Amino acid sequence: MHAPSSPAPAPTLSLQEQLRRGNLFAEACPSREVLQHVTSRWGVLILVALLDGTHRFSELRRKIGGVSEKMLAQTLQALESDGFVLRTSFPVVPPHVEYSLTPMGTEIAGQVQTLADWIEHNLSTILQTRAARAEA
Amino acid sequence: MHAPSSPAPAPTLSLQEQLRRGNLFAEACPSREVLQHVTSRWGVLILVALLDGTHRFSELRRKIGGVSEKMLAQTLQALESDGFVLRTSFPVVPPHVEYSLTPMGTEIAGQVQTLADWIEHNLSTILQTRAARAEA
DNA sequence: CGGCATCCGAGTCGATACTG
DNA sequence: CAGTATCGACTCGGATGCCG
């Protein structure tokens, strides 16, 4: 990144730059949608949870505190349709469904976990910042 | 979780493990809130945008397609109170306010951008997955 | 067991108007 | 220019009930 003192920070990125990583800033770019699935409230937790390996629906529900069936199913579908999660259904009674990460899902889940780990690691600092701000 | 052949897959993570990175799964953990700020729809874009350096309010508004004033102000406040964004106000007329990343903000913004970059890099694959799924 | 459909309240979001 | 205030639309998310 460029120094704070840069005098002429191109007001808009070059086209090349925008194509490389910037069309995220474009309102209509589909990447925003994918990003939303991945960074959604439950999406993050599901991805990290599945890094531990295959889980059944109810296992996930128990593991992820506070998630409802509806949101779990809904988020799993979104992640599945994006190709991050693999859903395997066994036609037995009672039904048995397993969820696991695809190779692509494993990659992104790793990134997400890195982010989550960072936050947990710095959580005390963050909370102190907030507290200090509240006093002032 | 259970690898097909694993004989003794600890059903729950050890306490140590849970404290190291796992209380994210606890419903009440404040880390979830911080994570929400960072991964929120506009939070992601603001952080990445500010990686390019200091921006004024209206610069951000122009740069981030589709954001409303309200959400921009609101999200900036959240990120500021978490200590990721620094707000600098110059008491002149017309008002002049600059937003930049704190050291901590720079760190996390880097992580977020890595994530965003990964998605954009793999976007075509993702969209193909979706399309294939739509056919079937 | 693993969902889907429906309903409904609470919160979020965006457009507009107004203030310092 | 940089917000805040207000309001309506809309979405999110939980609870319930039903079906494979």
Side-chain angles (χ1 to χ4, degrees), chain B residues 63-132:
Chain B
K63 185 166 188 169
I64 301 174
V67 69
S68 67
E69 293 173 35
K70 178 186 176 181
M71 291 320 298
L72 185 55
Q74 190 172 303
T75 309
L76 279 169
Q77 280 175 19
L79 293 176
E80 189 198 358
S81 82
D82 287 341
F84 298 134
V85 164
L86 181 67
R87 179 183 185 275
T88 312
S89 160
F90 300 88
V92 298
V93 285
H96 185 118
V97 180
E98 291 185 347
Y99 293 93
S100 59
L101 293 175
T102 64
M104 199 165 70
T106 305
E107 281 187 51
I108 205 161
Q111 310 261 358
V112 169
Q113 188 180 38
T114 302
L115 189 67
D117 278 350
W118 189 95
I119 288 180
E120 298 212 343
H121 186 257
N122 294 87
L123 186 58
S124 58
T125 306
I126 295 169
L127 295 180
Q128 281 169 25
T129 302
R130 270 203 229 171

Side-chain angles (χ1 to χ4, degrees), chain A residues 42-59:
Chain A
W42 305 116
V44 174
L45 299 179
I46 290 174
L47 288 176
V48 174
L50 288 180
L51 268 180
D52 278 349
T54 299
H55 284 66
R56 298 186 57 170
F57 187 86
S58 41
E59 284 176 343

Side-chain angles (χ1 to χ4, degrees), chain A residues 1-2 21 23-25 32 35 39 53-54 65 81-82 104 107 111 113-114 117-118 120 130, chain B residues 1 21 23-25 32 35 39 41 51-52 65 81-82 104 107 111 113-114 117-120 130:
Chain A
M1 65 202 79
H2 48 67
R21 71 146 175 73
N23 42 7
L24 188 72
F25 290 119
R32 281 201 184 175
L35 194 62
T39 63
T54 299
S81 82
D82 287 341
M104 200 165 69
E107 282 187 51
Q111 309 264 357
Q113 188 180 39
T114 302
D117 279 349
W118 189 96
E120 299 209 346
R130 270 203 229 171
Chain B
M1 177 82 62
R21 71 148 175 71
N23 44 5
L24 187 72
F25 289 120
R32 280 201 184 176
L35 193 63
T39 64
R41 183 172 178 197
L51 269 179
D52 279 349
S81 82
D82 287 341
M104 199 165 70
E107 281 187 51
Q111 310 261 358
Q113 188 180 38
T114 302
D117 278 350
W118 189 95
I119 288 180
E120 298 212 343
R130 270 203 229 171

